Structures are given as structure tokens and as C-alpha cells.
Amino acid sequence: MKKTLLTILTAGALLSANAQVPSPAWATLQNTNYTLAASFSSKFLDVINSNVVWSIGYSGANVSQNFVNFSRTINGGTTFNTGAVYASTLNPAVGDTNTYVIANLDAIDANTAWVSAYLKGPGAQGAIHRTIDGGATWQNMTAPGMFTNSASFCNVVAFLTPSIGVAQGDGHPGNANEYEIWRTNNGGTTWTIVPGANIPNPTSGEYFLVNVYEKQGTTNLWFGTNKGRVFRSIDAGLTWSVSVLPSAPSASISVSDIAFCNANMGICTAFNTSVTPGVFEQFITSDGGATWTKVTSIDPNFGRNDVAGVPGTNVFVSAANSTTATSGFLSYSSDGGLTWTNWGGSAIPYLAIDFADATSGWAATFQTSQTAPTGGIYKFNGATSIFNAPSAVCFTSPSTTVNPINWSLGNSTVTYSWSVSPAATISAPTATNPTLTFTAPGNYVVTLAATNSSASSSSSRTINVTACSTPTADFTVPSGTLCNNVALNFTNVTTGTPTPTYTWSTIPAAGVTISPNANATSPAITFSAGGTYTVNLLASSVAGSVVVSKTITVNSCTASPSFSIPAALCSTAIVTPNNSTTGPGPISYTWSTAPSSSVAFAPNAVAASPSITISGIGVYTITLRAGNASGVSITTRTIDVQNCVGINETKFANLTDVSPNPTNGNLNITLPTNGDYNLVVVDVLGSVIVSEKIINSNIANINLAGKAKGVYFVTVSNKVDKVTKKIVLE
């Protein structure tokens, strides 16, 4: 399938009617010298250093027309020379007849540059080409087997060093369900396929995108896909990981640009088509793209056409293109892309921006002529004040020092002037990075003015110099028994000025939930399993960081279910279990029997001690499940339900239960059936201690508390049967 380039291409020729006013910091207009069309500009821009810039051109009047031409300067833009990447010459009057559509440009130095390309027309595949003579000639460096699979599509070639490069596309040779990534370590002389096992598999319908990539240093490389995923390699393309942009549905979001100013701080833009019309989205990362945060409110000064990081700084730059008189602009950000400062100017359609370092930047726009090309690119000539300093520091008598980091943009002639209000000592007010000395607490406004022959600017930051103390970290552990699966509230009693930030953790960490999060002041921590744990609290402030740890024992606090029932009863039997379950509550109960037929529970099977009616004959197993926050425990008892019609004395004795025995005084007597009985208790001398009647019942209770310890005999009888049981009173 054919994938489109960034959707930045608008009719540039229509903008000439508006008054184009460049920013004073970008007032140097240079000529890219494309002679192919009047509304010509650069769709790919690669700034190598203060002298060398490469670009690939396209026509703003006819964005569908395929141009394979480049422009290059080796003298800082004083002159740009143009040429064609491929041998055939493009004649705009008859349209494009070339084989390849250029997918990206990756230049190395004044003489060496690479392009990737895909086939124009039927088929997709592609190739990579290199020049080592400044564009005079280009050589096809595509290795055998590269981008020849029917599902192949060449998107990007990128070199991290002059020797180590990566070429990327869709459709692994022999397996269209793998990404096709090749790697060279000899400047492109030979290429080796990266094993599919080293690359996360594509999702359904996913593919990489042309020119959507970023590289940092000699090992870091990122690619974007049409399904909202960002691939990263930290070992120069040998192995890959993937992260997902936090925007739903991911199946409808396509990455449009990736930029990093160092290995960790990056910006990603995407276009979400899950709604109509589609929505432009911005994401930022501070961990190299392992995780991304969506910018919920995009600064209107963020240029959506192109974004780039400025190497050697924490600064990003962006470009905006519009057909309105006010919307075309360039801007910069020093806080990771959250807020942006407009460089000023108006009505200039900027299509691409790139910096090689803090002094060397260019931004592409449209030329205004074809036969005598004018313009096409602006060179950064200004001085932009940007610096970083801590918002708060601790005052340590007799003085505290701060070393601001100067990220200002501008050429080597920029001069600096530092000031502080109220006054503080500045080691060298005109130095690039002076030392500031504060002799008393307070709020200080630090200002940096940056000036060169073309422009000047200033920026300020407030530093709160605070009399503070190192945190004294401490917390209290919940009292009592600590149970698993129960939220345990830990109370933070840390002291320190200013108030520290907190990070909680446990060892081991598996199965542990910290709520609401690990940075809460006093969180609730839930341990899914019992065991010994170390709870750690890290307290941090500008005064320092301290860790305190405490070891706790978490118990498995499941309930201990227990109940008693008669060993045997007559049918139909009604038995009420004596539930003696113990454990931390609340406790829930669930009763069941096996077999379960001919059994009824009243009021229900989840009562603490229900009445169980068993109308069948046989041995029944009664099960009690007792549950609490820590889990569920189970215990069982059996009862023999017999047909007691014509019961004999032996059966009568077996079906009569006197418990507990021995006893401390309270006796529970269960009889085979409901009926009228006589109950007599005598001592060993035959003296009657208790004499009672049981009327229409099979349950009786007697209390021998206060009687002399020893042996007693309990006799229960009716008109037919009689049984005597010996008991021991303790």
C-alpha cells in the first residue's frame, strides 16, 4: 500500500499575496535555487553543522508531482547547489517519469548523504541510494533481498555513525507479518537483516511510515507507525522495543513526527482519525519513549508542521505552515514541549525546521520564483535567551550558590548579560554560565539577556532560596495483626522544610498495591499474600533525600471455621449447627451439603447458623465455607440420618448425643426425633441431681454448673426406649 508523507503540503503560491514578515531572529533569507517550479520548497531538511545543509524539494503548486531533486550548501547557505538524486532528468512540463519516490533524506557530512525510496506506481518495494561526492553521483546501495518481498515497502534509511546504519520498511523477506529492518556496520557496503525475533510484531494492519523517525547519538533510534506505536532501539538497531501512545483507539492514530533533544526527552505528534474530522495530538516523554504522556491542552504556539530537538540543549523548535496572514510561525520550548514561545513574524509558510546545535538552524519555506529562484529557506541569525535554573534551593549559612545552565540559541558572536533582583553576587555577569551566590533566603528573579548584531532577547526565572532542613523520614505501621488482602494505612510522620516529596516501595514488590499511588503522603498498602515485607519511604526535597525502612509481618488472616452437629439423627431431621467460627471479620458464611437433594436451609444457606432440614435417609456431609478479606477456609462434618420407625434401644442410644463430654457444666442433648421424654441426672450414689421433662422436642439443655466435679449419669427415656450416658463434670 502507498503511504503518504506528512500532511503539510499546501499551495504555497497562494501565500505570496500576504505580507510576509520574518522574525528578527530569522531575518536571513537564503536561496535554495530549485529551478523546477515557482512554488518550490523543501519537504526534507537535514542540518549537519554551521556550514552544511541538505534538503529534498517538492512543488507546493502540485504536491502529487514526484520530484527527486536535492539542494545543498557547504558554506552556511551563502550558496545552495541543486541536482537530481537519480540519473533521469525531471521535466515538469511532461510530468514525472522516474522510478522512485524519495521517502527520507539522511545526510552525514558535506559529501555523504543517503535517501530511501519506494517504487512509484504499481508495487511498493524500494531501494536506498548514497552519494559520497556531494550529490554529483548517486549509487544504489540496496543489498540483494532488500525490499523485494511482495509486501515490502521502504520507509527510512538512517545512519548513527558514518559506518553504522539502519534501513527500515514493511514486509520481512519470506514473512510479510514481520517488519523488515536491515543493518550495516561498514558504511552500507553490506547489509544484514535484523531477525524478526528482535522486533516486536506488527499489529493487524500496522506499518511504518515514510520519514517518521528520529536518531540521537550513536545508539538511539525511533520509528513511528500508523497504529499509534513508537519503536525504539538503544543498541543501534540490533534489538527493538515498542511503546503505545496513550490515545484511544490506537487503531485510528497515525504518528506524524518524532523529535528528541537528548536520549530521554522527546516529543511525538500524531493524527487521530477516530473522530471526524481528525484531531492533531501531541505527546511528550522523559524516559526515551518507554512511556508517553498526552498533552491535553496543546499550546497554540506549537508549530504542527515540523518539530526538532536542538542537540546539546533541552530545547525543541517547531514550524507552522498556514495560508492565513498570521499563522505561519516558528517557535521554541525549553520545558519538554509543554509551553512554546513564538519567535514572531507572520504569514510565512514554514514547512521544516532543523538545528545542528545551538548556533546552526534553518527553516524551509517556499521560493518565489522559478527562473531566478528567490528564497526557500531562512537561516537563524538571532540571539534567543533560554536558560534553566532550579525553582528552589536550600540556604546554607553563610551562602548558597546556583549554577544556571545556558541553553540560549545564537551564533558565536552572542554576548550575555546576567542580573539578579534583589541583588546577588554573580561570578562573571557576562559569562555563558556564571555562578550565582545568595547570602540570605528570599525570592530572586534571575534574568539573562542574549544579544548579537541581529537581535536580542531576555528571559527570567525565579529562584526561591529557602532556609530548609534535611528531611527526617519516619512513618508508623498499623497496629494489631496485619492481614493480607486488607488495606493497611501507613502514617507518614516525616518532618523537613520545605515539605518533601515521597516515594513508597516494598520488598518484595510482587502482589503489593499502593493506593492512591506510590507518591502519596500516607498511602494504604495492600499485600495479596502473607509473609515478611520491607516497607521503604524515600523523602526528598531540595535539602536532600532520606530513606527509612521497616520490616513487617503480614499474616494470612483467613477465618477458622468450626461447627458441631449430632453424629446421627432420625428422618426427617432438623439440625441447627453450633457455629463456633473464629477470625477477623466481617466473616461471611456459605453452607452446603452432599448430597444436596432433600435438603433445605432456613432462613438461607448464608446464615451464620441456619436450620437444616434433611428429609432423606443416608450419610450427609455438611460443609461450611467461612470467608473474610484474607480468603476462604472450609471445614466439614458428617451426620447419619436414619429411618427411626420401630427404633430399638441400641439405635436409640446411638442416635442420642450428649455433649460436650467431659463438660464444665453446660450439656447439650440431642434426641432421635421430636417427642416427649423424661430426663434424669444422678450422681454415683444415685442421688437425683436434675429431673426434667422434654415436651415435643429433640433438643434439651441442662446446666450442672456449681455441682461437685465427678462422674454423673444422664438417663433419657420415653414410653418405649431408654438410654443412660455417663458424663464427667470437670
Side-chain angles (χ1 to χ4, degrees), residues 165-256:
V166 174
Q168 167 261 91
D170 310 310
H172 193 293
N175 186 356
N177 294 321
E178 295 279 2
Y179 281 121
E180 182 174 357
I181 299 180
W182 297 79
R183 190 175 183 276
T184 181
N185 58 11
N186 56 15
T189 301
T190 59
W191 294 82
T192 303
I193 190 75
V194 176
N198 293 357
I199 311 168
N201 290 333
T203 61
S204 177
E206 184 182 40
Y207 47 79
F208 286 132
L209 298 161
V210 295
N211 198 46
V212 180
Y213 78 105
E214 174 67 306
K215 60 182 183 179
Q216 272 290 325
T218 59
T219 59
N220 291 282
L221 189 60
W222 294 265
F223 296 138
T225 80
N226 69 317
K227 294 300 176 94
R229 298 206 299 169
V230 178
F231 284 68
R232 182 194 186 188
S233 175
I234 60 174
D235 54 14
L238 291 171
T239 59
W240 295 84
S241 60
V242 66
S243 59
V244 181
L245 297 178
S247 182
S250 61
S252 301
I253 182 170
S254 184
V255 178
S256 57

Side-chain angles (χ1 to χ4, degrees), residues 566 569-570 572-576 611-614 639 670 674 698-699:
L569 285 175
C570 290
T572 295
I574 300 177
V575 58
T576 301
S611 293
I612 307 174
T613 300
I614 304 175
I639 185 171
T670 304
N674 284 355
N698 71 331
I699 298 173

Side-chain angles (χ1 to χ4, degrees), residues 645-691:
V645 177
I647 189 169
N648 59 34
E649 184 175 348
T650 301
K651 284 189 175 181
F652 185 81
N654 291 338
L655 295 175
T656 300
D657 180 70
V658 180
S659 63
N661 190 11
T663 180
N664 61 2
N666 280 311
L667 283 175
N668 297 309
I669 301 171
T670 304
L671 298 161
T673 61
N674 284 355
D676 298 335
Y677 299 89
N678 293 318
L679 187 152
V680 178
V681 180
V682 300
D683 61 17
V684 292
L685 299 177
S687 300
V688 176
I689 304 302
V690 176
S691 178

Side-chain angles (χ1 to χ4, degrees), residues 464-659:
N464 182 10
V465 180
T466 305
C468 52
S469 59
T470 303
T472 300
D474 197 11
F475 63 91
T476 61
V477 176
S479 59
T481 302
L482 308 183
C483 296
N484 68 312
N485 288 325
V486 176
L488 306 176
N489 295 308
F490 291 77
T491 303
N492 189 342
V493 292
T494 298
T495 60
T497 304
T499 301
T501 58
Y502 304 106
T503 303
W504 294 82
S505 61
T506 65
I507 302 173
V512 178
T513 302
I514 303 176
S515 182
N517 54 58
N519 303 117
T521 301
S522 295
I525 305 179
T526 303
F527 303 84
S528 63
T532 300
Y533 294 83
T534 300
V535 179
N536 307 305
L537 169 60
L538 169 65
S540 303
S541 73
V542 291
S545 299
V546 179
V547 176
V548 62
S549 302
K550 295 187 179 183
T551 299
I552 63 172
T553 299
V554 177
N555 300 280
S556 181
C557 298
T558 54
S560 298
S562 179
F563 67 97
S564 61
I565 57 173
L569 285 175
C570 290
S571 177
T572 295
I574 300 177
V575 58
T576 301
N578 180 19
N579 189 343
S580 55
T581 298
T582 59
I587 300 175
S588 62
Y589 302 100
T590 303
W591 297 85
S592 62
T593 66
S596 59
S597 59
S598 304
V599 177
F601 294 90
N604 51 53
V606 295
S609 295
S611 293
I612 307 174
T613 300
I614 304 175
S615 56
I617 303 300
V619 177
Y620 288 78
T621 299
I622 299 179
T623 299
L624 170 61
R625 290 175 170 82
N628 61 10
S630 292
V632 176
S633 297
I634 301 173
T635 189
T636 62
R637 301 285 187 273
T638 59
I639 185 171
D640 185 4
V641 180
Q642 301 183 9
N643 184 354
C644 297
V645 177
I647 189 169
N648 59 34
E649 184 175 348
T650 301
K651 284 189 175 181
F652 185 81
N654 291 338
L655 295 175
T656 300
D657 180 70
V658 180
S659 63

Side-chain angles (χ1 to χ4, degrees), residues 345-367:
S346 62
I348 298 177
Y350 296 106
L351 304 183
I353 188 169
D354 195 25
F355 272 72
D357 49 47
T359 68
S360 310
W362 275 262
T365 185
F366 287 100
Q367 296 180 168

Side-chain angles (χ1 to χ4, degrees), residues 32 48 77 90 143 302 306 309 329 339 400 511 550 560 568 614 652-653 715:
T32 47
I48 307 305
L90 179 67
F302 175 44
D306 193 22
F329 61 82
T339 61
T400 294
K550 295 187 179 183
S560 298
I614 304 175
F652 185 81
T715 299

